[in-house]
Amino acid sequence: WLKPSTPPPQLCTRPAVAMDSNAPKLAKVEKVLGRTGSRGGVIQVRVQFMYDSAPELAGRSLIRNVKGPVREGDILALLETEREARRLR
């Protein structure tokens, strides 16, 4: 058992200021462009990055493929921000 005089254990070992480069970047769905995939199970959307999660990407927009229900105004957490989806034909 711990003695009452010992300080509580440190829970966080990382500095609070440093951001994790692998942290998901938040992006807001601007427009739903359409359905794609062999059965239409993927939705193509245009997203714009938000300032809060990625100041270096703020305002930049990309076209991404999303699996599952999505609508305008939704916030997506993107793990990868370099790749852009091909446009629908």
Side-chain angles (χ1 to χ4, degrees):
W1 296 97
L2 293 175
K3 296 178 184 176
S5 62
T6 57
Q10 292 295 326
L11 299 177
C12 183
T13 58
R14 290 190 215 164
V17 179
M19 284 253 330
D20 187 7
S21 62
N22 292 334
K25 310 288 189 281
L26 300 180
K28 186 173 185 175
V29 177
E30 288 181 329
K31 187 175 183 184
V32 176
L33 301 174
R35 288 188 170 267
T36 185
S38 61
R39 295 190 175 106
V42 178
I43 302 170
Q44 199 163 68
V45 297
R46 177 175 295 282
V47 298
Q48 185 169 19
F49 289 99
M50 301 173 71
Y51 182 80
D52 327 342
S53 65
E56 69 279 0
L57 296 172
R60 184 173 162 218
S61 67
L62 284 178
I63 294 173
R64 295 299 298 254
N65 292 329
V66 179
K67 186 168 183 173
V70 66
R71 59 183 171 196
E72 289 182 24
D74 284 356
I75 307 291
L76 303 179
L78 302 176
L79 297 176
E80 195 279 323
T81 58
E82 299 297 316
R83 256 184 313 182
E84 187 164 9
R86 288 191 216 133
R87 287 292 308 228
L88 286 171
R89 285 179 247 189

